[in-house]
Amino acid sequence: MPVKCCFHRSPTTETMAWSENMDTLLTNQAGLDAFRTFLKSEFSEENVEFWLACEDFKKTESAEKIASKARMIYSEFIEADAPKEINIDFSTRDLISKNIAEPTLKCFDEAQKLIYSLMAKDSFPRFLKSEIYKKLVNSKEIGNHKKWLPFL
């Protein structure tokens, strides 16, 4: 496991670090919030919401909570006409539908990989080119200059 540097990243460096990879973005609360805002503007926030629900689901320990959380994720994101239905292929959706009767912590793994890949290849590059991201980087840079150069 890599050791993190003891120096605190400046807000600009941190914001720019989100562009390194999607994991950096998703593990930073401010980055996640910005990405969510962007996805909402594109009407695809269900993708990151599903991914987050799966991350939370994988930490579930009690068998009865696994079953209830799996049903909630299934009804919210997977089943036909779900309120936040994600775009996955028929075979993945069918497999989950069959496994939901006796769910395991891995029952959404394939769908989560597909959604992560979709976000990484499609949404994430567009986010980095978006006005939302550009404004964040620019506002952090201006904020830093003001902090260090009070005459600006």
Side-chain angles (χ1 to χ4, degrees):
M1 189 165 148
V3 177
K4 292 196 176 193
C5 177
C6 58
F7 299 108
H8 177 71
R9 279 184 166 172
S10 73
T12 305
T13 309
E14 187 173 295
T15 305
M16 291 177 75
W18 302 343
S19 67
E20 292 169 9
N21 62 55
M22 200 166 71
D23 289 333
T24 304
L25 175 76
L26 294 174
T27 56
N28 178 285
Q29 189 59 53
L32 178 60
D33 291 344
F35 190 52
R36 262 187 150 144
T37 300
F38 170 75
L39 291 175
K40 281 181 184 176
S41 75
E42 294 205 327
F43 305 100
S44 61
E45 70 267 24
E46 71 277 358
N47 291 332
V48 75
E49 289 178 17
F50 172 72
W51 185 85
L52 289 167
C54 290
E55 288 297 292
D56 177 63
F57 177 71
K58 289 191 261 185
K59 296 173 191 164
T60 307
E61 293 178 9
S62 104
E64 70 183 40
K65 282 188 179 178
I66 289 171
S68 67
K69 280 186 175 184
R71 283 191 301 277
M72 186 277 303
I73 291 171
Y74 181 79
S75 65
E76 195 168 345
F77 299 101
I78 306 295
E79 72 183 354
D81 299 321
K84 298 177 182 178
E85 187 177 355
I86 55 169
N87 186 8
I88 54 175
D89 60 90
F90 173 79
S91 61
T92 303
R93 190 178 309 276
D94 193 47
L95 179 65
I96 294 170
S97 297
K98 289 175 182 169
N99 292 335
I100 201 69
E102 292 183 38
T104 67
L105 290 177
K106 296 187 177 292
C107 69
F108 298 109
D109 283 2
E110 195 59 36
Q112 187 183 20
K113 285 178 198 167
L114 289 169
I115 293 302
Y116 181 92
S117 178
L118 175 71
M119 290 190 301
K121 291 177 183 169
D122 187 44
S123 305
F124 181 61
R126 282 199 320 278
F127 168 71
L128 296 177
K129 294 175 185 169
S130 73
E131 286 304 310
I132 291 170
Y133 181 67
K134 288 177 186 174
K135 283 179 183 175
L136 279 169
V137 171
N138 290 335
S139 70
K140 302 283 186 193
E141 285 175 357
I142 291 167
N144 277 353
H145 288 295
K146 284 183 181 172
K147 187 174 12 175
W148 295 108
L149 304 170
F151 53 85
L152 286 180

